[in-house]
Each structure stands twice: as C-alpha cells, then as structure tokens.
Amino acid sequence: PGHADYPAFLMAMDMLRDKLQLELTEQRINAIQLTVGVGFNFFNHGYIRLISRRPNDVIRKVYKLVDKLIDDPLSEERVAGFGKAAAIRHYLQSKSPDGQVRQLARWELVGDWWEQADQFPEETGLVLPEQIPYVLRKYFRNLHFGAVGNPANISRRLFTSR
C-alpha cells in the first residue's frame, strides 16, 4: 500500500490467481488448494500457495502463466475489470468498523499515510495494461518455495530456476 506499483501488482496477482484456477482445473493437475494474494507487510510481497501431488507440474504451469501475462497484450477492458474488482474488495474490506480499523492501520504502517487508503480505489481505475507485465517482470523474482514429500520427486533445478 502507498507505492505507485501496488494497484498494478495487486491486479496482476488477481489475474494470475484466476488463470491458475482455470488452468489447473482444466488440465486436472490435482491442485488440492490454491491461494494467491499479496502480503500486507511489504507492498511487493506476493504469495502463491498450492497444495498438489504433482508439484513439478504445478510450478511449470505457474512459470508459464506468468510468462504469458508478461508477453501477451492485455485489453484495457480486462484490466479495467480487475481494477473494479480490486476497488470493490477494498470497499467491502472496510465496511465494518473492525475492517476500517484494519485498513487504516495497514495503510499507516505499510503505506506511510492512512489517508492514502481513500485514494486506492481511484488508483486501480488508472492502471494501464502495460503496467501488469511491468510489475510482474519487476517483482516476480527471488521466489521461495517450500515442499513437503519425497525429495526425489521434486526438481531442485526447476524450483530454483527463477
């Protein structure tokens, strides 16, 4: 929160989540659970949490989808739709008194200024299609993985390739 790349990064992670859900379901890669989001301790801290019996296949799919989001042009309508969804989620998260306190605290602690929280919904509407590949190129690096299971079934080269 509070950084110029934050709205585009949040929207890029939402796009990645939607694409992963669709691809993993269509290709029956056996992802048991999928969570994609943005951490709130740092503006550039995203996470992808997948539980799968086929981790190598899932990681390949994640890399392929990120590359596709970087390389394929996005329409203004699609980006605007994700911007509206991010703004609505922001409003819904600050609907209750408890949610308002959480939002304001997050923006004060991480975003440097609590009054920026009101600007966020407008900022999501200003994100341009070319900003999505830019933030993915800039922030989708230094990845950390955790894997549970037989180490022989996990490709160390694949997991450390980015």
Side-chain angles (χ1 to χ4, degrees):
H3 189 278
D5 291 341
Y6 179 71
F9 182 70
L10 186 69
M11 291 164 57
M13 294 301 284
D14 287 347
M15 289 178 185
L16 181 60
R17 180 201 59 234
D18 288 359
K19 282 191 169 284
L20 273 172
Q21 285 176 334
L22 185 64
E23 294 274 334
L24 296 178
T25 302
E26 284 180 356
Q27 296 185 7
R28 300 180 189 262
I29 295 187
N30 293 331
I32 298 167
Q33 180 186 7
L34 168 67
T35 309
V36 177
V38 175
F40 291 108
N41 294 333
F42 305 101
F43 76 90
N44 64 345
H45 172 81
Y47 60 87
I48 300 171
R49 187 175 303 122
L50 286 158
I51 299 174
S52 174
R53 291 184 179 94
R54 296 167 49 190
N56 295 332
D57 293 339
V58 171
I59 293 302
R60 275 189 206 94
K61 181 56 66 180
V62 169
Y63 290 163
K64 184 178 176 184
L65 289 174
V66 168
D67 291 342
K68 189 175 172 112
L69 278 172
I70 289 172
D71 296 335
D72 292 354
L74 295 165
S75 70
E76 288 184 21
E77 294 81 23
R78 183 148 188 249
V79 173
F82 275 91
K84 289 176 186 173
I88 290 168
R89 191 171 38 256
H90 176 82
Y91 285 128
L92 290 175
Q93 289 172 347
S94 60
K95 192 126 174 95
S96 70
D98 182 49
Q100 289 175 1
V101 168
R102 236 179 291 139
Q103 283 273 29
L104 294 175
R106 178 181 306 134
W107 283 85
E108 181 66 23
L109 294 172
V110 182
D112 292 330
W113 191 35
W114 66 268
E115 291 173 330
Q116 290 177 334
D118 289 340
Q119 298 168 8
F120 175 73
E122 294 172 22
E123 290 172 355
T124 61
L126 300 175
V127 173
L128 301 172
E130 56 270 14
Q131 288 176 275
I132 302 299
Y134 168 78
V135 295
L136 285 171
R137 258 189 240 97
K138 184 174 180 179
Y139 297 111
F140 202 80
R141 56 188 169 82
N142 300 325
L143 306 178
H144 301 272
F145 294 100
V148 177
N150 184 350
N153 295 333
I154 297 169
S155 169
R156 182 178 289 272
R157 175 182 284 153
L158 177 65
F159 274 70
T160 59
S161 64
R162 296 225 179 174

